[in-house]
Coordinates of all heavy atoms in Angstrom, one line a residue:
M1 N 0.8 -1.2 0.0 CA 0.0 0.0 0.0 C 0.9 1.3 0.0 O 1.7 1.4 0.9 CB -0.9 0.0 1.2 CG -2.2 -0.8 1.1 SD -3.3 0.0 0.0 CE -4.7 -1.1 0.1
T2 N 0.7 2.1 -1.0 CA 1.4 3.3 -1.0 C 0.4 4.4 -0.7 O -0.7 4.4 -1.0 CB 2.0 3.5 -2.4 OG1 1.0 3.4 -3.4 CG2 3.2 2.6 -2.6
D3 N 1.0 5.4 -0.1 CA 0.1 6.6 0.3 C 0.6 7.8 -0.4 O 0.5 8.9 0.1 CB 0.1 6.8 1.8 CG -1.0 7.6 2.2 OD1 -2.0 7.7 1.5 OD2 -0.9 8.2 3.3
R4 N 1.1 7.7 -1.6 CA 1.6 8.8 -2.4 C 0.4 9.6 -2.9 O -0.6 9.0 -3.2 CB 2.5 8.4 -3.5 CG 1.8 7.4 -4.4 CD 2.8 6.8 -5.4 NE 2.0 6.4 -6.6 CZ 2.4 6.4 -7.8 NH1 3.6 6.9 -8.1 NH2 1.7 6.0 -8.8
D5 N 0.6 10.8 -3.1 CA -0.4 11.7 -3.6 C -0.3 11.9 -5.1 O -0.1 13.0 -5.6 CB -0.4 13.1 -2.8 CG -1.7 13.8 -2.9 OD1 -2.7 13.1 -3.2 OD2 -1.7 15.0 -2.7
E6 N -0.4 10.7 -5.7 CA -0.2 10.8 -7.2 C -1.3 9.9 -7.8 O -1.9 9.0 -7.1 CB 1.2 10.2 -7.6 CG 2.3 11.2 -7.3 CD 3.6 10.6 -7.7 OE1 3.6 9.4 -8.1 OE2 4.6 11.2 -7.5
C7 N -1.5 10.1 -9.1 CA -2.4 9.3 -9.9 C -2.1 7.8 -9.7 O -0.9 7.5 -9.6 CB -2.3 9.7 -11.3 SG -3.4 8.9 -12.4
R8 N -3.1 7.0 -9.6 CA -2.8 5.6 -9.4 C -2.3 4.9 -10.6 O -1.8 3.8 -10.6 CB -4.1 4.9 -8.9 CG -4.4 5.2 -7.5 CD -5.5 4.4 -7.0 NE -5.1 3.0 -6.9 CZ -5.9 2.0 -6.6 NH1 -7.2 2.3 -6.4 NH2 -5.5 0.7 -6.6
N9 N -2.4 5.5 -11.7 CA -1.8 5.0 -13.0 C -0.3 5.1 -12.8 O 0.3 6.2 -12.7 CB -2.2 5.9 -14.2 CG -1.7 5.3 -15.5 OD1 -0.7 4.5 -15.5 ND2 -2.3 5.7 -16.5
L10 N 0.4 4.0 -12.7 CA 1.8 4.0 -12.4 C 2.7 4.8 -13.3 O 3.8 5.3 -12.9 CB 2.3 2.5 -12.3 CG 1.7 1.7 -11.2 CD1 2.3 0.3 -11.2 CD2 1.8 2.3 -9.9
S11 N 2.3 4.9 -14.6 CA 3.1 5.7 -15.5 C 2.7 7.1 -15.5 O 3.1 7.9 -16.4 CB 2.9 5.1 -16.9 OG 1.5 5.1 -17.3
C12 N 2.0 7.6 -14.6 CA 1.5 8.9 -14.5 C 1.8 9.5 -13.1 O 1.6 8.8 -12.1 CB 0.0 9.0 -14.8 SG -0.7 10.6 -14.6
S13 N 2.3 10.7 -13.0 CA 2.6 11.2 -11.7 C 1.8 12.5 -11.4 O 2.3 13.4 -10.6 CB 4.1 11.4 -11.5 OG 4.6 12.2 -12.5
N14 N 0.7 12.7 -12.1 CA -0.1 13.9 -11.9 C -0.8 13.8 -10.6 O -0.9 12.7 -10.0 CB -1.1 14.1 -13.0 CG -0.4 14.4 -14.3 OD1 0.6 15.0 -14.4 ND2 -1.1 14.0 -15.4
E15 N -1.2 14.9 -10.1 CA -2.0 14.9 -8.8 C -3.4 14.3 -9.1 O -4.0 14.7 -10.1 CB -2.2 16.3 -8.3 CG -1.1 16.7 -7.3 CD -1.4 18.0 -6.7 OE1 -2.5 18.2 -6.2 OE2 -0.5 18.9 -6.7
P16 N -3.9 13.4 -8.3 CA -5.2 12.9 -8.5 C -6.3 13.9 -8.2 O -6.0 14.8 -7.3 CB -5.3 11.7 -7.5 CG -4.3 12.0 -6.5 CD -3.2 12.8 -7.1
R17 N -7.3 14.0 -8.9 CA -8.3 15.0 -8.6 C -9.5 14.4 -7.8 O -10.2 15.2 -7.1 CB -8.8 15.6 -9.9 CG -7.8 16.5 -10.5 CD -8.2 16.9 -11.9 NE -7.0 17.4 -12.6 CZ -7.0 17.9 -13.8 NH1 -8.1 17.9 -14.5 NH2 -5.9 18.3 -14.4
G18 N -9.7 13.1 -7.9 CA -10.8 12.5 -7.2 C -12.2 13.1 -7.6 O -12.2 14.0 -8.5
G19 N -13.2 12.7 -7.0 CA -14.5 13.2 -7.3 C -14.9 13.0 -8.7 O -14.3 12.2 -9.4
G20 N -15.8 13.8 -9.2 CA -16.2 13.7 -10.6 C -16.6 12.3 -11.0 O -17.2 11.6 -10.2
G21 N -16.1 11.9 -12.2 CA -16.4 10.5 -12.6 C -15.4 9.5 -12.2 O -15.5 8.4 -12.6
F22 N -14.3 9.9 -11.5 CA -13.3 9.0 -11.1 C -13.6 8.3 -9.8 O -13.9 8.9 -8.8 CB -12.0 9.7 -10.9 CG -11.7 10.8 -11.9 CD1 -11.2 12.0 -11.6 CD2 -11.9 10.5 -13.3 CE1 -10.9 13.0 -12.6 CE2 -11.7 11.4 -14.3 CZ -11.2 12.7 -13.9
S23 N -13.6 6.9 -9.9 CA -14.0 6.1 -8.7 C -12.8 6.1 -7.8 O -13.0 5.9 -6.6 CB -14.4 4.7 -9.2 OG -13.4 4.2 -10.0
G24 N -11.6 6.2 -8.3 CA -10.4 6.1 -7.4 C -9.7 7.4 -7.4 O -10.3 8.4 -7.4
R25 N -8.4 7.2 -7.3 CA -7.5 8.4 -7.2 C -6.7 8.6 -8.5 O -5.6 8.2 -8.6 CB -6.6 8.3 -6.0 CG -7.4 8.3 -4.7 CD -6.6 7.8 -3.6 NE -5.3 8.5 -3.4 CZ -5.2 9.7 -2.8 NH1 -6.2 10.2 -2.2 NH2 -4.0 10.2 -2.6
F26 N -7.4 9.0 -9.5 CA -6.8 9.2 -10.8 C -6.9 10.7 -11.2 O -7.7 11.4 -10.6 CB -7.5 8.4 -11.9 CG -7.4 6.9 -11.6 CD1 -8.4 6.3 -10.9 CD2 -6.4 6.2 -12.1 CE1 -8.4 5.0 -10.6 CE2 -6.3 4.8 -11.9 CZ -7.3 4.2 -11.1
C27 N -6.0 11.1 -12.1 CA -6.0 12.6 -12.5 C -7.0 12.8 -13.6 O -7.4 13.9 -13.8 CB -4.6 13.0 -12.9 SG -4.1 12.3 -14.5
S28 N -7.3 11.7 -14.3 CA -8.2 11.9 -15.4 C -8.9 10.5 -15.8 O -8.4 9.5 -15.4 CB -7.5 12.4 -16.6 OG -6.5 11.5 -17.0
T29 N -10.0 10.6 -16.5 CA -10.6 9.4 -16.9 C -9.8 8.5 -17.8 O -9.7 7.3 -17.6 CB -11.9 9.7 -17.7 OG1 -12.8 10.5 -16.8 CG2 -12.7 8.5 -18.1
P30 N -9.0 9.0 -18.8 CA -8.1 8.2 -19.5 C -7.2 7.4 -18.7 O -6.9 6.2 -18.9 CB -7.4 9.2 -20.4 CG -8.3 10.3 -20.6 CD -9.0 10.4 -19.3
C31 N -6.6 8.0 -17.6 CA -5.7 7.3 -16.7 C -6.4 6.2 -16.0 O -5.9 5.1 -15.8 CB -5.2 8.3 -15.7 SG -3.6 9.0 -16.2
E32 N -7.7 6.4 -15.6 CA -8.4 5.4 -14.9 C -8.7 4.2 -15.9 O -8.5 3.1 -15.5 CB -9.7 5.9 -14.4 CG -10.6 4.9 -13.7 CD -11.8 5.5 -13.1 OE1 -12.1 6.6 -13.2 OE2 -12.5 4.7 -12.4
L33 N -9.1 4.5 -17.1 CA -9.4 3.5 -18.0 C -8.1 2.7 -18.4 O -8.1 1.4 -18.5 CB -9.9 4.1 -19.3 CG -11.3 4.7 -19.2 CD1 -11.7 5.4 -20.5 CD2 -12.3 3.7 -18.7
K34 N -7.0 3.3 -18.5 CA -5.7 2.7 -18.8 C -5.4 1.7 -17.7 O -4.9 0.6 -17.9 CB -4.6 3.7 -19.0 CG -3.5 3.2 -19.8 CD -2.5 4.4 -20.1 CE -1.2 3.9 -20.5 NZ -0.2 5.0 -20.6
Y35 N -5.5 2.2 -16.4 CA -5.2 1.4 -15.3 C -6.0 0.1 -15.2 O -5.5 -1.0 -15.0 CB -5.4 2.3 -14.0 CG -5.1 1.6 -12.7 CD1 -3.7 1.5 -12.3 CD2 -6.1 1.0 -11.9 CE1 -3.4 0.9 -11.1 CE2 -5.8 0.4 -10.7 CZ -4.5 0.3 -10.3 OH -4.2 -0.3 -9.1
E36 N -7.3 0.3 -15.5 CA -8.2 -0.9 -15.5 C -7.8 -1.8 -16.6 O -7.9 -3.0 -16.4 CB -9.7 -0.4 -15.7 CG -10.2 0.5 -14.5 CD -10.4 -0.3 -13.3 OE1 -10.5 -1.6 -13.3 OE2 -10.3 0.3 -12.2
H37 N -7.4 -1.3 -17.7 CA -7.1 -2.1 -18.9 C -5.8 -3.0 -18.5 O -5.8 -4.1 -18.8 CB -6.8 -1.2 -20.1 CG -6.6 -2.0 -21.3 ND1 -7.5 -2.7 -22.0 CD2 -5.4 -2.2 -22.0 CE1 -7.0 -3.3 -23.0 NE2 -5.7 -3.0 -23.1
V38 N -4.9 -2.3 -17.9 CA -3.6 -3.0 -17.5 C -3.9 -4.2 -16.6 O -3.4 -5.3 -16.7 CB -2.6 -2.1 -16.9 CG1 -1.5 -2.8 -16.2 CG2 -2.1 -1.1 -18.0
R39 N -4.8 -3.9 -15.6 CA -5.2 -4.9 -14.7 C -5.9 -6.1 -15.3 O -5.7 -7.2 -15.0 CB -6.0 -4.3 -13.5 CG -5.2 -3.6 -12.5 CD -5.9 -3.2 -11.3 NE -7.2 -3.8 -11.1 CZ -8.1 -3.4 -10.2 NH1 -7.7 -2.5 -9.3 NH2 -9.2 -3.9 -10.1
A40 N -6.8 -5.8 -16.2 CA -7.5 -6.8 -17.0 C -6.6 -7.6 -17.8 O -6.7 -8.9 -17.9 CB -8.6 -6.2 -17.9
D41 N -5.6 -7.0 -18.4 CA -4.6 -7.7 -19.2 C -3.8 -8.7 -18.3 O -3.6 -9.8 -18.7 CB -3.6 -6.7 -19.8 CG -4.1 -6.3 -21.2 OD1 -5.2 -6.7 -21.6 OD2 -3.4 -5.5 -21.9
A42 N -3.4 -8.3 -17.2 CA -2.6 -9.1 -16.3 C -3.4 -10.3 -15.8 O -2.9 -11.4 -15.8 CB -2.2 -8.3 -15.0
R43 N -4.7 -10.1 -15.6 CA -5.6 -11.2 -15.2 C -5.7 -12.2 -16.3 O -5.7 -13.4 -16.1 CB -7.0 -10.7 -14.8 CG -7.5 -11.2 -13.5 CD -8.7 -10.5 -13.1 NE -8.5 -9.1 -12.8 CZ -9.4 -8.1 -12.9 NH1 -10.6 -8.4 -13.4 NH2 -9.2 -6.9 -12.6
Q44 N -5.9 -11.7 -17.5 CA -6.0 -12.6 -18.7 C -4.8 -13.4 -18.9 O -4.8 -14.6 -19.2 CB -6.4 -11.7 -19.9 CG -6.6 -12.5 -21.2 CD -7.8 -13.4 -21.1 OE1 -8.9 -13.0 -20.7 NE2 -7.7 -14.7 -21.4
A45 N -3.6 -12.8 -18.8 CA -2.3 -13.4 -19.0 C -2.2 -14.6 -18.0 O -1.7 -15.7 -18.3 CB -1.2 -12.5 -18.9
E46 N -2.6 -14.3 -16.8 CA -2.5 -15.3 -15.7 C -3.4 -16.5 -16.1 O -3.0 -17.7 -15.9 CB -2.9 -14.7 -14.4 CG -2.5 -15.5 -13.2 CD -3.0 -15.0 -11.9 OE1 -2.9 -13.7 -11.7 OE2 -3.6 -15.7 -11.1
R47 N -4.5 -16.2 -16.5 CA -5.5 -17.3 -16.9 C -4.9 -18.1 -18.0 O -5.0 -19.4 -18.0 CB -6.8 -16.7 -17.3 CG -8.0 -17.5 -16.8 CD -9.3 -16.8 -17.2 NE -9.4 -15.5 -16.4 CZ -10.2 -14.5 -16.9 NH1 -10.8 -14.5 -18.0 NH2 -10.2 -13.4 -16.2
D48 N -4.4 -17.5 -19.0 CA -3.8 -18.2 -20.2 C -2.7 -19.1 -19.7 O -2.6 -20.2 -20.1 CB -3.3 -17.2 -21.2 CG -4.4 -16.5 -22.0 OD1 -5.6 -17.0 -21.8 OD2 -4.2 -15.6 -22.7
A49 N -1.8 -18.6 -18.8 CA -0.6 -19.4 -18.4 C -1.1 -20.6 -17.6 O -0.6 -21.7 -17.8 CB 0.2 -18.5 -17.5
R50 N -2.2 -20.4 -16.8 CA -2.7 -21.5 -16.1 C -3.3 -22.6 -17.0 O -3.1 -23.8 -16.8 CB -3.7 -21.0 -15.1 CG -3.6 -21.7 -13.7 CD -4.5 -21.1 -12.7 NE -4.1 -19.8 -12.2 CZ -4.9 -18.9 -11.6 NH1 -6.2 -19.2 -11.5 NH2 -4.4 -17.8 -11.1
R51 N -4.0 -22.1 -18.0 CA -4.7 -23.1 -18.9 C -3.6 -23.9 -19.7 O -3.7 -25.1 -19.8 CB -5.5 -22.3 -19.9 CG -6.5 -23.2 -20.6 CD -7.2 -22.5 -21.7 NE -7.8 -21.2 -21.2 CZ -7.9 -20.1 -21.9 NH1 -7.5 -20.1 -23.1 NH2 -8.5 -19.0 -21.4
Q52 N -2.6 -23.2 -20.1 CA -1.5 -23.8 -20.8 C -0.8 -24.9 -20.0 O -0.5 -26.0 -20.4 CB -0.5 -22.7 -21.2 CG 0.3 -23.2 -22.5 CD 1.1 -22.0 -23.0 OE1 1.1 -20.9 -22.5 NE2 1.8 -22.2 -24.1
A53 N -0.5 -24.5 -18.7 CA 0.1 -25.5 -17.8 C -0.7 -26.7 -17.6 O -0.2 -27.8 -17.6 CB 0.4 -24.8 -16.5
R54 N -2.0 -26.5 -17.6 CA -2.9 -27.7 -17.4 C -2.9 -28.6 -18.6 O -2.9 -29.8 -18.5 CB -4.3 -27.2 -17.2 CG -5.1 -28.0 -16.1 CD -6.4 -27.4 -15.8 NE -6.4 -26.1 -15.2 CZ -7.3 -25.2 -15.2 NH1 -8.4 -25.4 -15.9 NH2 -7.2 -24.1 -14.6
Q55 N -2.8 -28.0 -19.8 CA -2.8 -28.8 -21.0 C -1.5 -29.6 -21.1 O -1.5 -30.7 -21.5 CB -2.9 -27.8 -22.2 CG -4.4 -27.4 -22.5 CD -4.5 -26.4 -23.5 OE1 -3.5 -25.9 -24.1 NE2 -5.7 -26.0 -23.8
E56 N -0.4 -29.0 -20.7 CA 0.9 -29.7 -20.7 C 0.9 -30.8 -19.7 O 1.6 -31.8 -19.9 CB 2.0 -28.7 -20.4 CG 2.2 -27.8 -21.7 CD 3.1 -26.6 -21.3 OE1 3.7 -26.6 -20.2 OE2 3.3 -25.7 -22.2
D57 N 0.1 -30.7 -18.7 CA 0.0 -31.8 -17.7 C -0.9 -32.9 -18.2 O -1.0 -34.0 -17.6 CB -0.6 -31.3 -16.4 CG 0.5 -30.6 -15.6 OD1 1.7 -30.7 -16.0 OD2 0.1 -29.9 -14.6
G58 N -1.6 -32.7 -19.3 CA -2.5 -33.7 -19.9 C -3.8 -33.8 -19.2 O -4.4 -34.9 -19.2
L59 N -4.2 -32.8 -18.5 CA -5.5 -32.9 -17.8 C -6.7 -32.3 -18.6 O -6.5 -31.3 -19.2 CB -5.4 -32.1 -16.5 CG -4.4 -32.7 -15.5 CD1 -4.4 -31.7 -14.3 CD2 -4.9 -34.0 -15.0
Ligands
LIG101 ZN1 -2.9 10.2 -14.3

């Protein structure tokens, strides 16, 4: 857990504005969407790796 006063998008260091349409601590909607997209990608990659491992085990 970090308590930095920055946008939660790791590649962005702007000040978060909060409120408005942002559910978290992002400086802008594009940053929020990008962050969600990265998280979704990571989840998908993990699922793919698990499925592949299972196939190699012959299950
Ligand atoms: Zn940002």
Side-chain angles (χ1 to χ4, degrees):
M1 277 286 184
T2 51
D3 198 21
R4 59 188 202 143
D5 201 18
E6 286 179 358
C7 180
R8 285 190 65 187
N9 183 343
L10 297 181
S11 58
C12 172
S13 57
N14 292 332
E15 268 186 49
R17 286 174 200 180
F22 316 137
S23 54
R25 292 162 58 81
F26 299 90
C27 71
S28 62
T29 299
C31 268
E32 180 174 3
L33 294 178
K34 200 171 163 190
Y35 181 81
E36 295 292 335
H37 184 71
V38 167
R39 278 189 13 186
D41 270 5
R43 228 173 293 150
Q44 183 65 50
E46 194 185 314
R47 216 175 297 153
D48 285 350
R50 220 175 282 161
R51 195 188 310 146
Q52 204 169 1
R54 216 175 296 156
Q55 282 172 355
E56 284 168 7
D57 282 348
L59 293 176

